[in-house]
């Protein structure tokens, strides 16, 4: 059986072998399939969140770009990310002391633990504390608590809607310690250019430094997705630290060269991703 994520006039189709899980949470539908070529695939409300074939690209970039842009992160917050993949990547940094994750949907975490153990292993790290709550509420009144905040959200329109507005970004900024860095799932320049533009305008007007980084992910419609990274005190496009040999041996996508290079966007996307200081 073939399944298709249909989005904004595009479709991404994957051949499956078995429907392992279909659950309906208070927030969304959760589906996991085995596939012919791409390992297991997880969909929320019919939108592909990850496949085991290429999830490393997204999770590594979402985690290591902001962590290495910061250089010495100790306290990290993940908003969303209930599959655990971003946690797994953060846990590779021995200097990180505390990892909070705020996921609105406990059933996503349960499904990942049951069917996606290579991602949900991120929850096993003793530094991780899980908060089941709306991330846009959680981040309020946490002044100066985090070195890095990562927003691993679904697309706007579902439970992630509140994670795409300016108030949320202002609250995240307030929750950062001096030197802090944020990174958020920033959609595709081909698929959802209006969302890319919105996020770049918000981050560019709130933070001194901001950039849109491209990530190659063949199982997202249009084959790519973005990470929006921003800080008031660091040029996020340049890593402040680099992986040592041990950490580098655990990575398949992130390199310091990819970190610098991902922020170079194609000519047609320059205006769309330009930080607006207005
Ligand atoms: N268009 C889908 C974007 C999905 C982003 N979140 C993926 C979660 C993987 N940890």
């Amino acid at each position: 059986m073939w399944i298709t994520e249909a989005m904004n006039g595009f479709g991404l189709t994957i051949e499956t072998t078995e429907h392992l899980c279909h659950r309906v949470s208070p927030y969304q539908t959760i589906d996991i399939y085995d596939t012919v070529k791409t390992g297991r695939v997880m969909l929320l409300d019919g939108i592909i969140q990850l496949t085991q074939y290429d999830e490393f690209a997204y999770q590594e970039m979402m985690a290591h770009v902001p962590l290495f842009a910061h250089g010495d992160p100790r306290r990290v917050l993940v908003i969303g990310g209930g599959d655990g993949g971003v946690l797994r990547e953060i846990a590779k940094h021995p200097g990180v002391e505390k990892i909070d994750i705020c996921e609105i949907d406990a059933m996503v975490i349960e499904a990942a633990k049951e069917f996606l153990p290579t991602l949900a292993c991120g929850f096993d790290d003793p530094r991780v504390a899980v908060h089941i709550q709306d991330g846009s509420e959680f981040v309020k009144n946490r002044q100066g608590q985090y070195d890095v905040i990562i927003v691993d959200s679904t697309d706007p329109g579902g439970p992630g809607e509140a994670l795409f507005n300016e108030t949320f970004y202002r609250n995240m900024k307030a929750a950062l310690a001096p030197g802090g860095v944020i990174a958020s799932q920033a959609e595709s320049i081909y698929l959802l250019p209006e969302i890319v533009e919105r996020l770049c305008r918000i981050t560019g007007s709130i933070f001194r430094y901001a950039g849109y980084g491209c990530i190659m992910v063949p199982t997202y419609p249009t084959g790519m997705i973005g990470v929006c990274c921003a800080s008031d005190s660091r040029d996020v496009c340049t890593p402040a630290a680099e992986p040592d040999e041990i950490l580098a041996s655990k990575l398949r996508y992130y390199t310091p060269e990819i970190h610098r290079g991902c922020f170079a966007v194609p000519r047609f996307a320059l205006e769309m991703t330009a930080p607006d200081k207005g």
Side-chain angles (χ1 to χ4, degrees):
M1 185 182 97
W2 295 77
I3 52 157
T4 297
E5 171 188 336
M7 161 72 78
N8 218 14
F10 289 81
L12 195 294
T13 303
I14 295 177
E15 188 177 13
T16 64
T17 52
E18 194 179 350
H19 196 173
L20 299 169
C21 157
H22 173 74
R23 292 177 189 167
V24 182
S25 83
Y27 301 100
Q28 56 207 339
T29 57
I30 302 165
D31 287 284
I32 299 174
Y33 296 83
D34 258 331
T35 74
V36 173
K37 288 281 183 205
T38 62
R40 289 188 175 171
V41 57
M42 175 189 249
L43 299 96
L44 298 179
D45 280 343
I47 305 293
I48 295 168
Q49 300 302 307
L50 61 96
T51 72
Q52 287 178 315
Y53 169 72
D54 56 12
E55 54 85 12
F56 64 94
Y58 175 84
Q59 328 280 8
E60 286 190 20
M61 291 295 278
M62 289 298 293
H64 303 303
V65 169
L67 293 171
F68 283 118
H70 183 281
D72 186 24
R74 307 287 168 102
R75 297 152 301 167
V76 181
L77 169 64
V78 178
I79 294 176
D83 53 76
V86 169
L87 292 179
R88 180 194 67 203
E89 296 305 317
I90 299 167
K92 292 176 182 171
H93 289 249
V96 169
E97 293 163 359
K98 171 184 158 79
I99 311 169
D100 283 333
I101 176 166
C102 181
E103 163 63 56
I104 196 168
D105 194 344
M107 285 179 67
V108 172
I109 299 177
E110 286 158 22
K113 286 186 173 171
E114 206 172 326
F115 297 103
L116 298 166
T118 57
L119 288 102
C121 60
F123 288 97
D124 299 340
D125 192 282
R127 294 166 291 179
V128 172
V130 179
H131 308 264
I132 303 299
Q133 200 183 327
D134 179 342
S136 65
E137 290 299 318
F138 183 87
V139 82
K140 289 178 185 168
N141 308 315
R142 289 184 192 264
Q143 266 71 8
Q145 287 192 20
Y146 297 102
D147 299 311
V148 171
I149 302 177
I150 298 168
V151 186
D152 180 11
S153 67
T154 53
D155 297 336
E161 180 65 37
L163 309 180
F164 287 83
N165 69 50
E166 185 169 334
T167 307
F168 172 63
Y169 276 84
R170 289 200 181 278
N171 289 334
M172 277 205 288
K173 177 171 167 164
L176 287 176
V181 176
I182 64 132
S184 49
Q185 189 274 101
E187 305 295 357
S188 158
I189 51 178
Y190 292 102
L191 185 67
L192 292 169
E194 64 287 355
I195 305 294
V196 175
E197 194 167 9
R198 191 204 300 178
L199 290 175
C200 292
R201 196 179 57 241
I202 292 172
T203 49
S205 63
I206 295 178
F207 293 92
R208 183 161 171 222
Y209 301 97
Y212 175 93
C214 299
I215 315 169
M216 290 179 275
V217 187
T219 61
Y220 286 146
T222 75
M224 63 89 56
I225 199 161
V227 53
C228 215
C229 202
S231 173
D232 250 359
S233 40
R234 298 169 193 278
D235 168 17
V236 290
C237 304
T238 307
E242 297 193 354
D244 61 19
E245 241 177 81
I246 298 173
L247 207 165
S249 71
K250 297 176 185 163
L251 302 177
R252 295 176 68 198
Y253 192 98
Y254 180 91
T255 65
E257 292 75 22
I258 284 277
H259 185 139
R260 292 184 201 95
C262 74
F263 291 102
V265 298
R267 183 177 291 274
F268 78 88
L270 284 173
E271 203 175 317
M272 185 197 308
T273 57
D276 175 353
K277 297 292 172 202

